[in-house]
Amino acid sequence: CPTAADLRLANGTRVCAQLYADDSPYYDQCCAGEVLVVLPGSDVPYMPHGWSARTSSLVVGTKCELTVWSGKAKTGKLRRFSA
């Protein structure tokens, strides 16, 4: 997995979080498969099509916090992740 400080797009744009579709019990094989990039200031009340209940690992960038809810439209239990 990338480190929290290394989360950037190819053009240098800062990324707040990356969510990954594939996971593994072996650390060096985590953070694989499709990637969902979360940019700073994003407010997304619904997961993009095909991502609901699919994220298996994630990395949150420095100075960012990722807040997720168990239900749609920001309902249900909430959980916060940070670097």
Side-chain angles (χ1 to χ4, degrees), residues 36-59:
L36 178 61
V37 174
V38 180
L39 297 175
S42 295
D43 184 10
V44 183
Y46 296 92
M47 289 296 284
H49 181 72
W51 276 92
S52 181
R54 188 169 174 215
T55 302
S56 61
S57 54
L58 61 89
V59 177

Side-chain angles (χ1 to χ4, degrees), residues 2-66:
T3 66
D6 290 337
L7 288 185
R8 295 198 180 276
L9 297 177
N11 66 5
T13 301
R14 187 170 159 255
V15 171
C16 272
Q18 288 187 177
L19 288 66
Y20 298 88
D22 297 340
D23 193 14
S24 170
Y26 302 103
Y27 183 77
D28 61 340
Q29 296 174 19
C30 287
C31 301
E34 290 186 61
V35 178
L36 178 61
V37 174
V38 180
L39 297 175
S42 295
D43 184 10
V44 183
Y46 296 92
M47 289 296 284
H49 181 72
W51 276 92
S52 181
R54 188 169 174 215
T55 302
S56 61
S57 54
L58 61 89
V59 177
V60 179
T62 55
K63 299 181 183 176
C64 284
E65 182 176 78
L66 178 68

